[in-house]
Amino acid sequence: MSTIQGRTRWLRYAIAAGAAILAAGLQGFIVPAFAGYELPPGERITNLPHIPRAMPQKEAYEVYDPVIGRNFDIKNLWMRADLRVRPEFRNGVCFGGGPPVGGACTTIVGARANAPAFQNGGAGITKGANDFYVQQWVRLGIGYDLSPDVNFYMEIIDAATWGGNGDPKNAGNGGDPLNHNCSNQVTGACRLGVRAAYVLVRNFAGIEGLSMKAGRQYVIFGNHSLFGHFDWANTGYSHDGIMFAYQTKAFDSYLGWFRQAETDIAQGAPVGSLAGNIAGTAGNGRPDGGGDADMFIFYNQIKTVPGFLIEPYYVLYINQLHESLNSAQGLGTPKFSNQIRHMIGNRIEMRKGNWDFINETAWQTGRQADGVGNDNSRNLTINAWATRNWLGYTWYENKMKPRLAVNLDYASGDGRAAACTAGATAQCKTSNTFENFFPTNHIHMGYADVIAWKNMLSPQANFQFRPTARDHFEIWYMNMNLASSKDCWYRAAQGCYVFSKANNTKTHIGDEIDFTWTRMFADGKVAFQATYGHIFAGGYLTANLPGSPSDQSWGFVQLWMNF
């Protein structure tokens, strides 16, 4: 018996030793321990496997405790962060009527019938519907300069609405006090996100002045009229794509491609290779998953004329989604489905002495679907344009640096915008509503954010002064009108605010006046700001809203800290 036990004991030892040898051999395949190779000086292994970190293979995957930071240098690490808390109110959201639904105060059906009703059909309307809420964000950016020409950057954002995770019917139980990420009321509504994540390579391919930025990034040009960060919002814009820049003393040129919609692979999917179409997009008519949306930007800045910046640009927007997926608000629906839109524009900015002047004019052409029926054909010709003009004078010699500026904004609309939509029978041939793309409208057309650079005509006046080094006051007046009486009144978020009646002839929306005070602290790292705005209702509201429309009041205070 002892002999048998001794043999089995040796057998167990042999099995264990064999397993250890086999594991070590397998690890030789799994973990590319290339340090064991002896290579000639200056040579390196280039035929690396696909799964480990093949580009570049700086650190091998370790079995137990990974060795991290072999290439890290604390001197190359930098950070930025900001926090903003903003209570905001709006009284008379729909100018005396009930609360909006989907951002609109009337229905498109009612607009066609010449008698628009509030979205809730008038039942149980709460007169003078008001809003009050508090939003905050925290943004943390981490950058690392791998070399003077290679930079890594990632920005995380926590965008929150106070109480937004709770159940309003249950006093917040199971909501914000316990849930610190996603809302239990709205599927997919989460606080934490990634605002930017990219690598920037300067002097790309050895060409001085040429750089490449790849990944999620801000796209900002001119003075944010068409492409801005939209930091007024609690989330802001950023885009996934790649941007090349060639910069010299005489001119800068930018060329970028950005994917705006992807229909054949979901966010965070582990692999691609023609996965099934994302739910809700199978009707794009493209079984190969090609029904996506892309934006190409070619932007230039000429700096050779003293006192002037001249910025010609071209934008191509291609949306291949089926026309039934995004056309419910008519031809002015933001990012209307199934369109190819070309935009040619130019921006001129002048600053000489006490004077400053800005003119930006853009024309859009191309083809798009009409949203009527289900044929998904681009049967409309796009013909839209817009212009923005500011003229200002600053008394720099005065201690308070007062500045007075006047403005005229215009963007085309379409008299048949509401008639050409799903369920309509009208035959349309053109689409003339200007597409505002991704702007920061808050800094251009009144702080109340009730109008977009779409179907509008608005003269403005702005006065600013600084009584102390820390205080800034601003008074802003805007006269708001529609360019086309039959098209929507579009709010700053670019969707319809009010659907115009089919027989409407009134264009004067109203007049807005804003008062803003900003106080800076801690060498400009902390700011307190308060704004009050009032909108006086015009003839357009009286003609297109039921009853007797009232004025609207709006305001906020915010505390913003950054470092």
Side-chain angles (χ1 to χ4, degrees):
M1 177 67 68
S2 60
T3 303
I4 294 176
Q5 291 176 342
R7 288 177 180 176
T8 57
R9 183 170 60 251
W10 282 109
L11 179 61
R12 290 197 301 270
Y13 290 157
I15 292 174
I21 295 172
L22 178 60
L26 288 176
Q27 181 173 317
F29 290 99
I30 298 172
V31 181
F34 297 120
Y37 290 95
E38 294 184 4
L39 300 176
E43 295 295 329
R44 60 191 178 91
I45 296 175
T46 59
N47 59 327
L48 300 177
H50 291 290
I51 299 302
R53 298 183 209 166
M55 292 182 63
Q57 181 71 17
K58 290 291 187 182
E59 300 172 3
Y61 286 106
E62 305 293 335
V63 180
Y64 300 109
D65 297 326
V67 179
I68 295 176
R70 292 179 181 177
N71 307 296
F72 178 76
D73 189 336
I74 190 65
K75 297 191 300 294
N76 298 331
L77 180 70
W78 52 274
M79 298 177 62
R80 65 162 301 276
D82 59 347
L83 181 148
R84 185 180 72 189
V85 178
R86 184 175 69 222
E88 184 176 345
F89 78 89
R90 192 179 298 268
N91 292 339
V93 177
C94 281
F95 301 89
V101 175
C105 293
T106 58
T107 64
I108 192 170
V109 174
R112 287 201 203 102
N114 299 331
F118 282 93
Q119 289 274 19
N120 59 13
I125 290 178
T126 302
K127 291 295 184 181
N130 304 324
D131 275 348
F132 175 77
Y133 49 86
V134 181
Q135 291 186 309
Q136 81 169 52
W137 79 20
V138 177
R139 298 187 299 185
L140 175 64
I142 301 174
Y144 186 82
D145 297 322
L146 188 63
S147 76
D149 286 338
V150 181
N151 167 252
F152 161 86
Y153 182 69
M154 183 171 185
E155 183 176 301
I156 299 171
I157 181 171
D158 172 52
T161 300
W162 287 10
N165 280 350
D167 186 343
K169 297 176 293 184
N170 194 24
N173 292 333
D176 273 33
L178 288 174
N179 189 336
H180 306 297
N181 185 8
C182 298
S183 169
N184 59 13
Q185 292 299 297
V186 183
T187 303
C190 298
R191 296 174 49 149
L192 196 63
V194 177
R195 180 80 186 277
Y198 63 78
V199 59
L200 171 63
V201 182
R202 303 178 185 88
N203 299 316
F204 185 68
I207 302 174
E208 186 175 356
L210 179 65
S211 62
M212 178 195 70
K213 183 186 290 186
R216 176 162 294 187
Q217 56 192 276
Y218 298 87
V219 177
I220 303 170
F221 288 114
N223 57 341
H224 298 239
S225 292
L226 293 162
F227 301 101
H229 52 55
F230 194 24
D231 270 353
W232 166 258
N234 210 43
T235 53
Y237 287 131
S238 57
H239 304 263
D240 296 322
I242 184 169
M243 177 78 80
F244 290 94
Y246 183 66
Q247 298 171 299
T248 70
K249 292 183 178 180
F251 71 92
D252 297 342
S253 289
Y254 301 85
L255 179 63
W257 163 65
F258 301 95
R259 174 53 57 89
Q260 301 297 319
E262 176 62 64
T263 57
D264 62 344
I265 180 170
Q267 192 71 268
V271 294
S273 302
L274 197 61
N277 285 13
I278 295 174
T281 65
N284 60 21
R286 296 288 298 274
D288 60 350
D292 305 320
D294 298 275
M295 182 172 66
F296 301 86
I297 300 176
F298 181 47
Y299 201 96
N300 303 275
Q301 187 177 79
I302 301 171
K303 303 176 286 186
T304 55
V305 182
F308 285 82
L309 288 176
I310 303 172
E311 300 178 343
Y313 54 83
Y314 168 74
V315 177
L316 172 61
Y317 178 73
I318 303 176
N319 186 324
Q320 300 183 77
L321 299 174
H322 194 277
E323 66 176 321
S324 62
L325 296 179
N326 186 38
S327 59
Q329 292 193 336
L331 300 182
T333 306
K335 315 304 179 297
F336 197 99
S337 290
N338 195 17
Q339 64 164 296
I340 297 179
R341 184 177 297 260
H342 307 268
M343 181 170 68
I344 302 171
N346 184 66
R347 176 180 175 271
I348 300 174
E349 181 172 354
M350 182 276 293
R351 293 184 181 271
K352 284 192 174 184
N354 300 82
W355 292 96
D356 61 87
F357 171 73
I358 293 175
N359 167 264
E360 182 166 3
T361 302
W363 174 60
Q364 298 176 351
T365 186
R367 301 284 293 179
Q368 78 171 57
D370 59 10
V372 180
N374 202 38
D375 59 359
N376 200 37
S377 61
R378 299 189 185 109
N379 52 354
L380 303 185
T381 299
I382 298 172
N383 184 20
W385 74 286
T387 182
R388 167 157 289 150
N389 305 272
W390 277 101
L391 176 64
Y393 186 91
T394 304
W395 285 267
Y396 290 108
E397 301 81 8
N398 189 287
K399 183 178 179 180
M400 293 195 295
K401 306 295 188 293
R403 177 180 183 269
L404 178 64
V406 293
N407 161 270
L408 180 64
D409 279 351
Y410 172 84
S412 63
D414 193 308
R416 301 178 69 85
C420 294
T421 188
T425 58
Q427 295 298 314
C428 303
K429 297 182 179 179
T430 61
S431 176
N432 301 326
T433 304
F434 187 76
E435 176 65 69
N436 202 183
F437 283 105
F438 301 95
T440 306
N441 274 327
H442 184 74
I443 63 177
H444 290 294
M445 294 171 294
Y447 287 137
D449 286 326
V450 295
I451 193 166
W453 204 23
K454 298 174 63 172
N455 186 38
M456 58 89 72
L457 173 65
S458 179
Q460 305 176 51
N462 184 280
F463 180 66
Q464 307 177 30
F465 62 98
R466 293 178 287 177
T468 72
R470 294 185 176 184
D471 293 289
H472 180 272
F473 286 88
E474 182 176 4
I475 303 172
W476 195 340
Y477 167 76
M478 180 172 58
N479 179 270
M480 298 181 292
N481 304 273
L482 297 185
S484 172
S485 62
K486 305 298 191 297
D487 200 348
C488 282
W489 168 17
Y490 298 96
R491 65 190 312 169
Q494 302 183 46
C496 287
Y497 198 3
V498 174
F499 291 96
S500 302
K501 290 182 180 181
N503 63 350
N504 174 56
T505 60
K506 302 294 184 179
T507 58
H508 181 220
I509 297 170
D511 300 271
E512 176 181 339
I513 186 167
D514 303 315
F515 303 90
T516 297
W517 168 51
T518 305
R519 172 78 173 180
M520 308 297 293
F521 302 89
D523 298 324
K525 298 182 180 65
V526 181
F528 174 82
Q529 188 174 75
T531 292
Y532 172 77
H534 192 86
I535 300 172
F536 300 89
Y540 171 82
L541 293 175
T542 303
N544 288 273
L545 293 181
S548 300
S550 62
D551 296 347
Q552 182 183 109
S553 296
W554 172 85
F556 73 91
V557 294
Q558 69 178 10
L559 185 67
W560 195 338
M561 180 275 293
N562 69 85
F563 64 86

